[in-house]
Amino acid sequence: DIQMTQSPSSLSASVGDRATITCRASQGIRNDLGWYQQKPGKAPKRLIYDASSLQSGVPSRFSGSGSGTEFTLTISSLQPEDFATYYCLQHNSYPLTFGGGTKVEIK
Amino acid sequence: EVQLVESGGGLVQPGGSLRLSCAASGFAFRSFWMSWVRQAPGKGLEWVANINQDGSEKHYVDSVKGRFTISRDNAKNSLFLQMNSLRAEDTAVYYCARGVTAGAWGQGTLVTVSS
């Protein structure tokens, strides 16, 4: 199974800050990775697919990069509505696996 | 507008069975892979299973193999998850999602396995 190691597990930041979240795959997964945002009590929402493609309707302050084993989600300027938990998901091979999540909290 | 609406969750005793349903609308259901993802209380997301467009290909996480069965009815735009031999560790919110890569999600249905 491919393990997805997500870091940090939590981060505290202020509105306007830049936030960076990383996912590392235990083996190469090309660009078969998505990023998801989940707010408390709500279903997840996909932000990025194929590592760097922005989901329709998602603000451009969100961006994804990487391929192979290391991937990054960047929020260029945190907005109040961005405080949430973020997950990566690899879909290169079965079983599909999520990262452990990163909780982005207000400083 | 894409809509996915799960139903069928509830309280069940260990060893019991439950069948989850997901009603899809707003897109060409028969053209998409479909998935189930779950989230135990206070925990992260776990992919459970997915199924291809005509139901001929299915994949499962090891922990549910032999106990859970994913299926679909394209005529009724519906996805199902038959869950047998349920265990306490199956307690979670179960989400239906569109595609292998979960591009759209339902609101989830809570399954509680407890005596």
Side-chain angles (χ1 to χ4, degrees):
Chain A
D1 297 4
I2 296 176
Q3 308 304 316
M4 301 301 297
T5 303
Q6 193 170 336
S7 61
S9 56
S10 66
L11 74 88
S12 183
S14 300
V15 173
D17 284 353
R18 182 183 186 90
T20 301
I21 299 167
T22 298
C23 261
R24 288 189 174 87
S26 59
Q27 62 191 74
I29 59 169
R30 303 182 305 184
N31 68 335
D32 298 332
L33 183 119
W35 289 98
Y36 301 78
Q37 176 194 66
Q38 187 179 33
K39 297 181 180 179
K42 300 294 187 182
K45 168 188 169 184
R46 189 172 68 179
L47 304 174
I48 300 285
Y49 63 95
D50 294 344
S52 60
S53 297
L54 191 67
Q55 182 79 18
S56 176
V58 173
S60 59
R61 62 181 179 272
F62 291 93
S63 64
S65 63
S67 68
T69 60
E70 187 151 337
F71 301 85
T72 299
L73 173 70
T74 300
I75 310 171
S76 60
S77 176
L78 278 165
Q79 299 302 301
E81 60 269 29
D82 300 337
F83 293 93
T85 301
Y86 295 83
Y87 297 92
C88 62
L89 167 67
Q90 71 80 18
H91 58 91
N92 178 264
S93 65
Y94 290 103
L96 307 191
T97 44
F98 284 92
T102 296
K103 187 173 184 180
V104 177
E105 300 175 298
I106 301 175
K107 185 183 284 184
Chain B
E1 180 194 2
V2 173
Q3 282 207 324
L4 298 165
V5 180
E6 301 93 337
S7 60
L11 175 64
V12 61
Q13 292 189 338
S17 298
L18 216 51
R19 188 191 196 213
L20 305 184
S21 299
C22 171
S25 61
F27 67 100
F29 179 76
R30 65 179 64 244
S31 298
F32 285 83
W33 280 73
M34 294 297 295
S35 303
W36 287 99
V37 176
R38 68 184 179 183
Q39 186 170 37
K43 302 297 185 183
L45 300 170
E46 180 182 36
W47 173 80
V48 175
N50 65 14
I51 185 170
N52 73 342
Q53 289 87 338
D54 65 3
S56 62
E57 187 175 342
K58 304 174 185 181
H59 299 274
Y60 299 91
V61 68
D62 280 352
S63 59
V64 309
K65 279 180 184 175
R67 301 188 300 122
F68 289 13
T69 302
I70 189 172
S71 63
R72 65 191 295 160
D73 183 339
N74 286 342
K76 295 183 178 179
N77 289 346
S78 294
L79 176 72
F80 306 101
L81 186 67
Q82 177 66 43
M83 304 187 296
N84 299 331
S85 303
L86 283 161
R87 306 167 180 166
E89 54 265 35
D90 296 318
T91 294
V93 174
Y94 285 73
Y95 294 102
C96 159
R98 186 180 74 171
V100 172
T101 57
W105 299 62
Q107 85 290 348
T109 188
L110 176 62
V111 172
T112 303
V113 184
S114 174
S115 54

